[in-house]
Amino acid sequence: MARIAGAGRCLPDTHLPTAELMKSTRHRTGIDLERLTGIYDRRVSSGEHDSLSLATGAALDCLRSSHRRGADLDVVINCSITKYRGGLVQWLEPPTSMAVAEAVGATRAMTFDVSNACAGMLTGVFILNNWIRRGAIERGMVVSGEYISQIGRNAARHVRNVMSRELASLTLGDAGAALIVERSSADEEGITLSGFTTVADHSRLCLAWPATHEPGARMFTQSRPLQKAAIRSTPQLLGEALDEAGLKIGDIDHVIPHQTSARAIRKGMAEVTASLGGEPAHPAVRTVEQFGNTASTTHTVALVEEIQAGRIRAGDRVALVALASGIVIGVVLFVADEGLVAGHAHHD
Amino acid sequence: MPTTIDGMAVVTGGWHTRRSARRLADAAGRAALQECGGGAPEVDLLVNAGLYHDRNMGEPALAPLIQEDIGANPSDPYPGGAGTFSFDVANGSAGVLSALQVVDGFVRAGTVATALIVASDADPGHGLAPGFPFSPAGGALVCRRRDGPGGVGRARWCNRPDGGDSFRTTVGMRSGRNVLVVDRVPGYADRLTDASSVAVAAVMEDEELAAGDVDVVLVSPGLPELVTGLAARTGIAADRFVAAAEGLHTVAPIAVFDAARRRNRIAPGTTVLLVAGGAGVTAGAVVYRA
């Protein structure tokens, strides 16, 4: 069995309120982004951070809170979409994981990167869970640094109205996140299960590539079809995962969905409730209002937030629900144990 | 239960595919499945280890697009249907070896029965990679869960971090455009040789293999100095080595496997040592028993 032994994050100090971002648009858009999405703020790098430094900061926070050392890690997997180092230069190789491993002293760790859009980190957890269950490794880290707010800055120059395919780009914020997954003792429940599927018919609903003549990237999203497809498929996958684990939705204490917008999370959870005939013990976790959509890091950023606020406690059963471009739908079910929660106790 | 490689294919770029890593991966994936009598619907897991995407696309991963193209359960899931899960693994020219290790984890954990690994190298097109140095090619491996011994062993790795000084691929602004640039300096092969020989020594110790027990060594990338250096350091006879063709990158570990097979160097019972290195510098080695 495997457990989530540590969680860490790194948030830039600079706030970018939605009102300020919308003031910077080139065109008079008439969009009330805060009303549409619930997002009133996000953290952004003002040049002091790139993808690598955010990932490294989160990895160090994760090691500190879990009382582990870099040398304890058998594997480091970086799962970010953005791989910017030294400004807006995207590094395809060497893998970012190798630089993170070197920075945190994970000298004997095997390293490679995973790319699976906003489901990257949870895909990494799935990979580590498999290896740990069959005894191939003892402990690994999944890490991501998303310096992705530059997509929003680019979109602010191009968005004309609410129908723009770059509207979702304005919801993005920067963050780093890291999780440690390790072998657990037989009496600890840890990770109950992880399950993913890719509904590739919808693979072209959200596409991003480097901007042609501007630094950074641009992202084009068909938000409504994407949301419809997600709402259609998520309850079924979640229901099947719960059945396999012998659980009901009411047995889940906290659902942490991917953080796209407050409205999308409310709609999605309403569909889950209608489809599965119940709801989790607590309302779905939402941190999107204050941090925006931080891509592959959202679940971990929210997990740390909830633990630090004392809302997720030792023994609570948590469902991390992935929704990502691809489209990827997945769930990681786990029990937050004393070790994970205690690491952040000083924040209470 | 171990992972066995049941199907394999390598395709080269034609006029329609030479500027599309996606189309090359599609063609290789289809051919590999056809070779082993499989079909796309049996693929539970699709892992792309290629780095170069059409137009340098960053999202989504390339694997879901390949999944859709080849028709591997692309539709909304139906009750009880497991569907296909797709994602990319990136580790330069060693990515296929990382992907094989990831797939082996899924197979041995009982999560999947059939996996398709694809990799491809192509100029991203639209003038976005001036001087792109690699030959257009795609490769694919069909991996299945099988009873009994053999199959993919435990991989061992060695990192010799150099911050990308000896080899790096980046996308950034040059002369007012975001373009892909590959930088490689002399000395890269020496660093790869060092890391590769450490990984090989570790895996041979794990598997309790003497130099004479290894029937064939498949080396990527195809740098002549790497082969010479590895033969000298490992004590394995030089005639046991098969190197990937020069000019191949992420597809090299599949291409060298395919080349050895076509030269009848791999038969049932053959002990194959797969060695792959990449930028970083990192190198991995794994034993495969055919």
Side-chain angles (χ1 to χ4, degrees), chain A residues 141-153:
Chain A
M141 175 183 277
V142 173
V143 65
S144 173
E146 298 287 20
Y147 175 26
I148 202 162
S149 62
Q150 38 80 27
I151 289 181
R153 303 272 196 194

PDB file of all heavy atoms in Angstrom, chain A residues 141-153:
ATOM      1  N   MET A 141       8.551  11.485  -5.360  1.00  0.00           N
ATOM      2  CA  MET A 141       7.934  12.816  -5.306  1.00  0.00           C
ATOM      3  C   MET A 141       7.357  13.168  -6.672  1.00  0.00           C
ATOM      4  O   MET A 141       7.984  12.932  -7.704  1.00  0.00           O
ATOM      5  CB  MET A 141       8.967  13.874  -4.918  1.00  0.00           C
ATOM      6  CG  MET A 141       8.409  15.302  -4.973  1.00  0.00           C
ATOM      7  SD  MET A 141       9.645  16.561  -4.605  1.00  0.00           S
ATOM      8  CE  MET A 141       9.589  16.532  -2.816  1.00  0.00           C
ATOM      9  N   VAL A 142       6.153  13.733  -6.624  1.00  0.00           N
ATOM     10  CA  VAL A 142       5.531  14.309  -7.807  1.00  0.00           C
ATOM     11  C   VAL A 142       5.548  15.819  -7.609  1.00  0.00           C
ATOM     12  O   VAL A 142       5.138  16.307  -6.550  1.00  0.00           O
ATOM     13  CB  VAL A 142       4.077  13.808  -7.944  1.00  0.00           C
ATOM     14  CG1 VAL A 142       3.372  14.531  -9.055  1.00  0.00           C
ATOM     15  CG2 VAL A 142       4.052  12.316  -8.184  1.00  0.00           C
ATOM     16  N   VAL A 143       6.046  16.545  -8.589  1.00  0.00           N
ATOM     17  CA  VAL A 143       6.240  17.983  -8.392  1.00  0.00           C
ATOM     18  C   VAL A 143       5.831  18.737  -9.655  1.00  0.00           C
ATOM     19  O   VAL A 143       5.846  18.178 -10.760  1.00  0.00           O
ATOM     20  CB  VAL A 143       7.723  18.256  -8.007  1.00  0.00           C
ATOM     21  CG1 VAL A 143       8.668  17.895  -9.135  1.00  0.00           C
ATOM     22  CG2 VAL A 143       7.946  19.684  -7.575  1.00  0.00           C
ATOM     23  N   SER A 144       5.429  19.982  -9.476  1.00  0.00           N
ATOM     24  CA  SER A 144       5.058  20.805 -10.631  1.00  0.00           C
ATOM     25  C   SER A 144       5.248  22.277 -10.298  1.00  0.00           C
ATOM     26  O   SER A 144       4.974  22.702  -9.175  1.00  0.00           O
ATOM     27  CB  SER A 144       3.586  20.550 -10.995  1.00  0.00           C
ATOM     28  OG  SER A 144       3.178  21.449 -12.002  1.00  0.00           O
ATOM     29  N   GLY A 145       5.704  23.023 -11.275  1.00  0.00           N
ATOM     30  CA  GLY A 145       5.764  24.482 -11.129  1.00  0.00           C
ATOM     31  C   GLY A 145       5.095  25.109 -12.338  1.00  0.00           C
ATOM     32  O   GLY A 145       5.530  24.892 -13.467  1.00  0.00           O
ATOM     33  N   GLU A 146       4.037  25.830 -12.113  1.00  0.00           N
ATOM     34  CA  GLU A 146       3.295  26.408 -13.231  1.00  0.00           C
ATOM     35  C   GLU A 146       3.441  27.925 -13.250  1.00  0.00           C
ATOM     36  O   GLU A 146       2.830  28.634 -12.453  1.00  0.00           O
ATOM     37  CB  GLU A 146       1.802  26.025 -13.150  1.00  0.00           C
ATOM     38  CG  GLU A 146       1.524  24.519 -13.234  1.00  0.00           C
ATOM     39  CD  GLU A 146       1.708  23.924 -14.633  1.00  0.00           C
ATOM     40  OE1 GLU A 146       2.392  24.540 -15.474  1.00  0.00           O
ATOM     41  OE2 GLU A 146       1.176  22.819 -14.874  1.00  0.00           O
ATOM     42  N   TYR A 147       4.315  28.384 -14.129  1.00  0.00           N
ATOM     43  CA  TYR A 147       4.442  29.823 -14.402  1.00  0.00           C
ATOM     44  C   TYR A 147       3.570  30.052 -15.633  1.00  0.00           C
ATOM     45  O   TYR A 147       4.057  30.118 -16.752  1.00  0.00           O
ATOM     46  CB  TYR A 147       5.915  30.157 -14.631  1.00  0.00           C
ATOM     47  CG  TYR A 147       6.199  31.590 -15.034  1.00  0.00           C
ATOM     48  CD1 TYR A 147       5.347  32.628 -14.678  1.00  0.00           C
ATOM     49  CD2 TYR A 147       7.342  31.907 -15.746  1.00  0.00           C
ATOM     50  CE1 TYR A 147       5.621  33.933 -15.049  1.00  0.00           C
ATOM     51  CE2 TYR A 147       7.627  33.210 -16.120  1.00  0.00           C
ATOM     52  CZ  TYR A 147       6.752  34.217 -15.769  1.00  0.00           C
ATOM     53  OH  TYR A 147       7.009  35.508 -16.143  1.00  0.00           O
ATOM     54  N   ILE A 148       2.281  30.145 -15.384  1.00  0.00           N
ATOM     55  CA  ILE A 148       1.324  30.068 -16.485  1.00  0.00           C
ATOM     56  C   ILE A 148       0.510  31.356 -16.640  1.00  0.00           C
ATOM     57  O   ILE A 148      -0.251  31.518 -17.589  1.00  0.00           O
ATOM     58  CB  ILE A 148       0.417  28.818 -16.275  1.00  0.00           C
ATOM     59  CG1 ILE A 148      -0.214  28.344 -17.577  1.00  0.00           C
ATOM     60  CG2 ILE A 148      -0.625  29.035 -15.183  1.00  0.00           C
ATOM     61  CD1 ILE A 148      -0.732  26.925 -17.543  1.00  0.00           C
ATOM     62  N   SER A 149       0.712  32.282 -15.690  1.00  0.00           N
ATOM     63  CA  SER A 149      -0.057  33.530 -15.748  1.00  0.00           C
ATOM     64  C   SER A 149       0.283  34.349 -16.988  1.00  0.00           C
ATOM     65  O   SER A 149      -0.500  35.202 -17.415  1.00  0.00           O
ATOM     66  CB  SER A 149       0.197  34.372 -14.495  1.00  0.00           C
ATOM     67  OG  SER A 149       1.566  34.732 -14.429  1.00  0.00           O
ATOM     68  N   GLN A 150       1.457  34.079 -17.596  1.00  0.00           N
ATOM     69  CA  GLN A 150       1.822  34.819 -18.814  1.00  0.00           C
ATOM     70  C   GLN A 150       0.835  34.551 -19.952  1.00  0.00           C
ATOM     71  O   GLN A 150       0.677  35.382 -20.850  1.00  0.00           O
ATOM     72  CB  GLN A 150       3.264  34.516 -19.227  1.00  0.00           C
ATOM     73  CG  GLN A 150       3.731  33.081 -19.040  1.00  0.00           C
ATOM     74  CD  GLN A 150       3.272  32.150 -20.125  1.00  0.00           C
ATOM     75  OE1 GLN A 150       3.044  32.571 -21.241  1.00  0.00           O
ATOM     76  NE2 GLN A 150       3.132  30.876 -19.805  1.00  0.00           N
ATOM     77  N   ILE A 151       0.151  33.388 -19.907  1.00  0.00           N
ATOM     78  CA  ILE A 151      -0.887  33.110 -20.908  1.00  0.00           C
ATOM     79  C   ILE A 151      -2.034  34.108 -20.742  1.00  0.00           C
ATOM     80  O   ILE A 151      -2.608  34.594 -21.721  1.00  0.00           O
ATOM     81  CB  ILE A 151      -1.388  31.650 -20.779  1.00  0.00           C
ATOM     82  CG1 ILE A 151      -0.300  30.686 -21.260  1.00  0.00           C
ATOM     83  CG2 ILE A 151      -2.679  31.438 -21.565  1.00  0.00           C
ATOM     84  CD1 ILE A 151      -0.688  29.209 -21.212  1.00  0.00           C
ATOM     85  N   GLY A 152      -2.338  34.448 -19.476  1.00  0.00           N
ATOM     86  CA  GLY A 152      -3.378  35.446 -19.201  1.00  0.00           C
ATOM     87  C   GLY A 152      -2.965  36.835 -19.669  1.00  0.00           C
ATOM     88  O   GLY A 152      -3.778  37.599 -20.201  1.00  0.00           O
ATOM     89  N   ARG A 153      -1.679  37.150 -19.452  1.00  0.00           N
ATOM     90  CA  ARG A 153      -1.172  38.464 -19.899  1.00  0.00           C
ATOM     91  C   ARG A 153      -1.286  38.578 -21.424  1.00  0.00           C
ATOM     92  O   ARG A 153      -1.651  39.618 -21.955  1.00  0.00           O
ATOM     93  CB  ARG A 153       0.298  38.634 -19.503  1.00  0.00           C
ATOM     94  CG  ARG A 153       0.557  38.487 -18.012  1.00  0.00           C
ATOM     95  CD  ARG A 153       0.408  39.802 -17.304  1.00  0.00           C
ATOM     96  NE  ARG A 153       1.005  39.742 -15.982  1.00  0.00           N
ATOM     97  CZ  ARG A 153       0.794  40.651 -15.044  1.00  0.00           C
ATOM     98  NH1 ARG A 153       0.006  41.689 -15.277  1.00  0.00           N
ATOM     99  NH2 ARG A 153       1.359  40.540 -13.869  1.00  0.00           N
TER     100      ARG A 153
END
